[in-house]
Amino acid sequence: YILKSAAIIESLDFLNQMKNELFVNLVNVAMADEYSDFDGNEMPGDISYFQNCDDQNVQVLFNQVNSIQDSINTLMNLNSIQDDELGIEVTEI
């Protein structure tokens, strides 16, 4: 069971990193088009800000980030893993 937990925790860490990188790409795509007139300091770090974006590219990335977060939550729940057990901070974007 310890090996399984280690593999799950490693997978959670990978998914979290991927989610964070994908979110950065989502912001970059949005800034290049629909939100191009925003100052970088004004752009919120909350994914819900992009929920109603008209750009289909942003919507695809938005849905993928949410899907990854759902997978993280499911794996943590299935395996009774708490945030403090991961050694990383899993935050919902």
Side-chain angles (χ1 to χ4, degrees), residues 7 9 15-16 28 36 41-42 44 61 64 77 82 88:
I9 288 172
L15 285 169
N16 191 55
N28 289 338
S36 61
N41 295 329
E42 297 176 22
L61 295 171
Q64 193 61 47
N77 288 334
Q82 303 298 315
I88 59 169

Side-chain angles (χ1 to χ4, degrees), residues 13-71:
D13 181 41
F14 174 76
L15 285 169
N16 191 55
Q17 289 176 32
M18 189 169 54
K19 177 193 70 175
N20 291 337
E21 290 181 32
L22 191 57
F23 178 72
V24 169
N25 286 307
L26 180 154
V27 172
N28 289 338
V29 169
M31 294 287 288
D33 189 30
E34 190 167 333
Y35 299 99
S36 61
D37 53 343
F38 276 83
D39 179 5
N41 295 329
E42 297 176 22
M43 188 61 74
D46 185 330
I47 193 160
S48 65
Y49 184 80
F50 301 100
Q51 186 169 4
N52 297 316
C53 181
D54 292 331
D55 186 330
Q56 290 181 340
N57 297 302
V58 173
Q59 285 304 306
V60 168
L61 295 171
F62 175 88
N63 291 332
Q64 193 61 47
V65 169
N66 282 326
S67 177
I68 293 169
Q69 184 63 56
D70 289 345
S71 295

Side-chain angles (χ1 to χ4, degrees), residues 1 5 8-9 12 75-86:
Y1 184 76
S5 292
I8 296 295
I9 288 172
L12 287 165
L75 285 169
M76 289 178 72
N77 288 334
L78 286 173
N79 294 281
S80 301
I81 296 173
Q82 303 298 315
D83 287 346
D84 59 349
E85 294 177 73
L86 297 176

